[in-house]
Amino acid sequence: SINAVTVDGHVRLCLLRKISQLRKLIVMDVDLLRPGTVPISKDTIMWFEFLLDPNILDSHLSKVKPDPSPAELISKFLTISADISVGKDILILEPDSELEDKIKPSRRSQGLKILALKIAAFLKWDLETLELKLPFSIQWMLLQDLLNLVHEEAVTIDLTKAPNHVLFAVSLYHRWALRAVFNNALHSKLRNGAGLEMQDDRFNRIEQQAEQSVHILMDISRLPLGSQMIIPSPRTFVPLVEDGEDEKTPNWNFGINIPSAQFFTMVLMDLATYLFYREDYTLALEHFEKCRQEFKKWNGRSGTLESYCNTDLATIEGYITACQAPTLSPRLSLIDRFMISVNNHYEGILAILVEDNLKREVPVSMRESLELDIAAAISSGGFTATRDLIFQIQSLNMVYKRAVDLPCLYDYCEKLLGARRGVEIFVWALKATLTDSRQDERERLGLFVLELLENLEAGLRAELLSHDVVRQLNRDQPVTQPNTKPPVVQLFVPPDFNNIQLKNGELENQLINSNEPLHIKEILIKLMEANAIRPVWQIENKWELGTPLHGIVLNMPSGVLQHYLYILLGKAKYLDGLGRFEVARRLLVAAESELNHHGGTIKLAQLIAWEILLVECHHLHSEWPNKTPGCTTLVSRCLNILQPNDVIMLPRVEVVETAAVTLLNLGEWEALVSLAPDKRLVLCDLSATLAQACQDIVKYKGNKKISRGAWDLIVPVFGSSGGLGKRGLAH
């Protein structure tokens, strides 16, 4: 029975008869919720049934995984509603004057809009879900329909006196408008596979009125509300019935209570995020701090049954940190200050390292990389620094490592002998690290000082012992006296050029055998300082780069960066072929990090990112069916490879085909079929065809015997005519 339709008995029978006819006549041109050529199932629900019997919608949404989904229903209802509003009668019935008198298109259109809003309330008005799953035009229609319901109250009542439902509707629309503007500007989200409709006049109008939306949300955020606020719930939107002249929809009394602080958190978060992306950091910081205050008022309260806010405290505080200038942010960690210093040409880096020698926040790898970066920049003339800067950093790093019992890759004593103020700088670094609370570190540093005293010449040994901190460290240790060793007569020995060549050859051999990025970089710097570097592609013929990478890297200015990138990329490709995927990926990530640090080209960065994806796909295939770390992110990255988005250059064929095979193995069949990969790429075409076959098996539960696409593509491989089989088998 159609309980929601209270018309006379004749009309009821007519409606039931028409619905029965629509179910039986498959060929009838009925617009289904799930378009396609598959015969209508007995479980298929047609759009007008939701309108005739509102109880169907409630039961459908209560399912664990409703199909069609809530977003698909919203899109369907509003699309049909728009067609009705321009005079298209979507419900295909035979002419019946009695029915036409009862069912009015305008009322039907309004009923569909109410159902769409009811579903949006079921989704808790989650703007992120609506943005991701609905086209921009449908989002706009939905929010406009909500505004139209409160339009009369909104234009006649001051916001300070407006009821809760008016405030909610107005704020939701303007929050959505600002999100649409900055999401479109960032190109970070796609709506229904097509992105924002850039040429849409509605979007252009929203963009022009963004400043007005900002002021309205600011005014709302300052309103003195009570502790609770009523927002629309699914019960608010009472479905229309055909003869229900007295029904009240929406019924704002049937809303749900949430803390007012939660409402303010949502408003302030979207407002502040828009201000942040507009680069108005001062104003954004003010509103993010207010957002944090409101968030703390309601978060964790036991009385809050449902949360309509998806923001978390970590995100808010992250934005607050990003808005603050470094000098105004005492809460910045040492590692944040370290990175800021690196980006500002190492300004204040020594003070940060001195502090970190006690706090130990910056990873040792980053400190080592800093040392090598500055040495490379100074040797290439790209950076000017004081004469002692390198040795000061080396001393701080060396004392830090010896205190925590970490190995060092070079002879510090040799560097101290060559420094201009070696002993003075070493003692300065020693004082910056010593603390009475870490007795085990004092013992390690005492042994380190002893090693230096045993290897230094008499003059430097005496200078070192003249400092109190050294004598304190050696108070309980036997200290070698200056005159205990007999003097060594130094004879002049002419340089042995053969030994120099051997030394350079040994460095090149280390370069070939090392797979540690920092060690490789250090060797390169040594070769550069000795003017002994030759083109790295001549050192090892196994280091080969793909065609795009080879050309771009060779066109870079000659220097440490060019040689370093070539070695890392060449080694990674070679190791990938050997099946050493984790080492290959580590080298590629180091190359990507180095390029970003030096502000390299976007093209080269994109190519390296694709090579990382290729190695991860190879690793996944080699470990199948076991999952590899990071495999959960492969799907989105492979989809980006196959989608013709705004890319600067196209990836290699091997990368594209490997991405398609990976999606096939991970069960992303629908994505493969919908993307329609290039049929000129054999593995892409084969993957898409097999994905379609897999979908058919699931869809027809194994009852479909032949998948035509797979049959046409695979069967010729086993044929013998025309040489087609050979080509197919070769693929």
Side-chain angles (χ1 to χ4, degrees):
S1 65
I2 307 176
N3 299 324
V5 183
T6 56
V7 296
D8 56 55
H10 176 66
V11 173
R12 185 191 304 273
L13 292 175
C14 289
L15 284 172
L16 291 174
R17 184 173 67 252
K18 298 301 181 183
I19 293 173
S20 177
Q21 292 173 357
L22 288 174
R23 286 190 175 281
K24 291 179 181 179
L25 297 178
I26 299 173
V27 297
M28 182 172 286
D29 185 18
V30 179
D31 194 31
L32 300 177
L33 285 168
R34 307 285 270 177
T37 59
V38 182
I40 301 175
S41 167
K42 64 177 182 179
D43 297 326
T44 301
I45 303 175
M46 301 184 188
W47 67 268
F48 51 82
E49 294 186 68
F50 287 105
L51 190 62
L52 296 174
D53 187 357
N55 293 327
I56 296 179
L57 180 60
D58 292 328
S59 62
H60 181 75
L61 294 178
S62 64
K63 297 177 182 177
V64 178
K65 290 183 179 180
D67 184 21
S69 67
E72 290 173 321
L73 285 176
I74 292 176
S75 184
K76 189 67 180 180
F77 290 155
L78 293 183
T79 301
I80 296 173
S81 171
D83 289 337
I84 292 174
S85 66
V86 295
K88 297 180 182 179
D89 194 354
I90 304 299
L91 182 60
I92 301 175
L93 298 172
E94 297 175 4
D96 191 323
S97 58
E98 294 183 16
L99 284 178
E100 290 179 357
D101 289 339
K102 297 292 183 181
I103 303 177
K104 299 178 181 179
S106 60
R107 187 169 183 81
R108 191 189 317 151
S109 174
Q110 185 181 0
L112 290 169
K113 293 178 179 181
I114 291 295
L115 291 179
L117 290 170
K118 185 182 185 72
I119 299 172
F122 171 79
L123 295 175
K124 297 185 178 181
W125 306 105
D126 186 354
L127 290 178
E128 187 166 355
T129 298
L130 298 177
E131 290 164 352
L132 290 173
K133 297 185 177 181
L134 295 178
F136 172 76
S137 58
I138 298 297
Q139 298 173 40
W140 183 86
M141 292 169 63
L142 181 69
L143 273 297
Q144 281 293 327
D145 290 339
L146 179 62
L147 272 186
N148 290 338
L149 294 177
V150 300
H151 177 71
E152 293 184 4
E153 294 178 275
V155 297
T156 58
I157 301 178
D158 185 10
L159 277 180
T160 58
K161 301 177 181 178
N164 289 169
H165 61 271
V166 174
L167 291 179
F168 177 79
V170 172
S171 67
L172 186 70
Y173 173 83
H174 290 289
R175 284 171 54 208
W176 168 80
L178 294 185
R179 290 169 64 100
V181 172
F182 71 69
N183 281 338
N184 177 69
L186 293 173
H187 297 283
S188 61
K189 294 183 180 179
L190 295 178
R191 308 301 193 267
N192 202 29
L196 291 181
E197 294 150 35
M198 301 288 291
Q199 305 303 322
D200 196 310
D201 291 337
R202 291 167 294 192
F203 176 75
N204 295 333
R205 187 162 64 251
I206 288 172
E207 194 171 26
Q208 294 169 3
Q209 296 173 350
E211 195 61 32
Q212 180 182 359
S213 296
V214 169
H215 289 303
I216 290 174
L217 291 180
M218 285 183 177
D219 291 341
I220 291 176
S221 68
R222 290 190 286 262
L223 292 177
L225 299 181
S227 60
Q228 297 286 318
M229 179 172 181
I230 302 176
I231 66 172
S233 68
R235 293 181 58 215
T236 302
F237 301 96
V238 182
L240 294 176
V241 293
E242 291 305 323
D243 65 342
E245 301 295 339
D246 298 328
E247 80 271 14
K248 181 181 180 182
T249 186
N251 191 337
W252 304 114
N253 295 324
F254 289 161
I256 187 170
N257 286 330
I258 66 168
S260 298
Q262 187 178 136
F263 168 73
F264 284 133
T265 300
M266 295 186 287
V267 171
L268 289 166
M269 188 64 189
D270 288 330
L271 171 61
T273 304
Y274 173 79
L275 295 172
F276 178 85
Y277 286 107
R278 200 178 67 179
E279 299 184 4
D280 191 347
Y281 298 120
T282 303
L283 200 56
L285 176 61
E286 176 186 342
H287 287 83
F288 276 125
E289 289 178 339
K290 290 181 180 178
C291 180
R292 179 171 60 183
Q293 294 172 4
E294 297 295 337
F295 181 86
K296 290 181 178 179
K297 290 180 182 178
W298 66 270
N299 186 46
R301 283 176 43 180
S302 58
T304 304
L305 299 178
E306 288 188 89
S307 175
Y308 279 66
C309 179
N310 296 327
T311 304
D312 57 76
L313 187 59
T315 302
I316 300 172
E317 292 184 338
Y319 272 113
I320 290 174
T321 301
C323 289
Q324 292 173 321
T327 55
L328 301 178
S329 180
R331 294 188 301 276
L332 278 178
S333 65
L334 269 177
I335 193 169
D336 290 334
R337 290 164 54 195
F338 179 90
M339 296 305 299
I340 292 170
S341 174
V342 170
N343 292 330
N344 292 334
H345 304 287
Y346 310 107
E347 180 181 351
I349 193 65
L350 287 178
I352 294 171
L353 292 178
V354 167
E355 188 176 348
D356 188 62
N357 269 31
L358 292 176
K359 293 186 177 180
R360 318 280 168 82
E361 294 182 15
V362 180
V364 175
S365 60
M366 294 179 66
R367 295 177 62 126
E368 291 176 336
S369 181
L370 169 75
E371 181 181 328
L372 296 174
D373 288 343
I374 294 180
I378 292 176
S379 66
S380 64
F383 178 67
T384 304
T386 60
R387 186 185 305 178
D388 299 322
L389 178 63
I390 284 292
F391 184 67
Q392 287 175 308
I393 294 175
Q394 289 171 340
S395 298
L396 287 168
N397 284 351
M398 184 54 136
V399 173
Y400 174 89
K401 290 179 185 178
R402 294 302 297 262
V404 297
D405 200 19
L406 291 175
C408 186
L409 298 176
Y410 51 76
D411 184 1
Y412 179 76
C413 185
E414 180 183 347
K415 295 186 179 295
L416 189 147
L417 289 170
R420 186 170 61 95
R421 297 185 297 123
V423 172
E424 179 184 342
I425 292 173
F426 169 71
V427 173
W428 163 77
L430 200 61
K431 291 179 178 178
T433 311
L434 278 174
T435 174
D436 295 333
S437 61
R438 298 168 178 166
Q439 190 60 36
D440 55 339
E441 293 184 5
R442 290 183 65 88
E443 293 176 1
R444 295 192 195 106
L445 290 176
L447 293 173
F448 176 45
V449 169
L450 273 179
E451 292 176 15
L452 289 178
L453 289 171
E454 291 175 358
N455 290 282
L456 290 176
E457 60 183 25
L460 288 177
R461 192 159 51 236
E463 183 182 352
L464 192 58
L465 285 169
S466 66
H467 292 276
D468 293 339
V469 64
V470 175
R471 290 197 297 271
Q472 289 174 4
L473 282 174
N474 291 273
R475 184 172 50 195
D476 299 326
Q477 300 287 343
V479 180
T480 304
Q481 297 301 321
N483 296 323
T484 55
K485 288 186 178 181
V488 178
V489 179
Q490 297 290 337
L491 299 177
F492 172 75
V493 179
D496 188 342
F497 295 101
N498 291 326
N499 287 342
I500 293 175
Q501 292 177 0
L502 286 174
K503 184 176 181 181
N504 294 336
E506 176 62 25
L507 288 175
E508 289 185 356
N509 188 51
Q510 293 179 24
L511 204 59
I512 294 172
N513 295 324
S514 177
N515 291 326
E516 291 298 328
L518 288 175
H519 191 211
I520 292 171
K521 193 171 187 179
E522 183 186 3
I523 297 170
L524 270 178
I525 292 172
K526 287 181 179 179
L527 288 171
M528 292 285 288
E529 290 175 345
N531 292 322
I533 189 69
R534 57 176 173 146
V536 290
W537 46 90
Q538 297 178 6
I539 297 176
E540 175 57 78
N541 57 12
K542 294 178 181 178
W543 299 340
E544 296 179 354
L545 277 62
T547 303
L549 278 174
H550 185 83
I552 294 178
V553 173
L554 290 190
N555 286 329
M556 294 176 64
S558 179
V560 175
L561 180 61
Q562 183 200 41
H563 297 314
Y564 186 50
L565 289 179
Y566 191 97
I567 293 173
L568 293 180
L569 297 174
K571 277 178 173 285
K573 186 174 177 62
Y574 175 66
L575 293 169
D576 180 38
L578 295 178
R580 299 179 62 184
F581 306 112
E582 293 182 357
V583 181
R585 185 185 182 280
R586 186 168 71 245
L587 294 175
L588 288 171
V589 170
E592 184 180 44
S593 176
E594 186 74 13
L595 185 66
N596 293 335
H597 176 65
H598 289 277
T601 63
I602 300 177
K603 289 184 178 180
L604 183 54
Q606 182 62 75
L607 286 172
I608 295 175
W610 285 334
E611 294 300 318
I612 294 174
L613 175 62
L614 181 64
V615 171
E616 291 179 354
C617 290
H618 288 164
H619 192 191
L620 176 70
H621 296 158
S622 70
E623 297 291 335
W624 191 265
N626 297 326
K627 298 295 181 66
T628 56
C631 67
T632 55
T633 65
L634 283 180
V635 173
S636 60
R637 292 156 64 197
C638 289
L639 287 173
N640 290 336
I641 289 284
L642 297 178
Q643 286 175 330
N645 291 335
D646 297 331
V647 293
I648 300 172
M649 60 193 307
L650 296 176
R652 294 191 294 121
V653 172
E654 182 186 4
V655 178
V656 177
E657 292 188 332
T658 304
V661 173
T662 303
L663 289 174
L664 177 65
N665 288 337
L666 292 176
E668 296 294 327
W669 304 326
E670 183 176 353
L672 266 177
V673 173
S674 63
L675 288 175
D678 191 346
K679 293 185 178 296
R680 293 172 297 178
L681 304 180
V682 178
L683 285 180
C684 290
D685 190 18
L686 180 60
S687 299
T689 305
L690 292 177
Q692 181 65 63
C694 292
Q695 279 190 312
D696 290 344
I697 291 173
V698 175
K699 190 172 189 178
Y700 298 106
K701 299 179 180 179
N703 294 326
K704 186 176 181 181
K705 296 182 179 180
I706 296 176
S707 178
R708 177 61 60 184
W711 178 271
D712 292 342
L713 186 64
I714 296 175
V715 169
V717 173
F718 302 95
S720 58
S721 61
L724 180 60
K726 293 181 180 179
R727 287 197 299 272
L729 287 173
H731 290 308

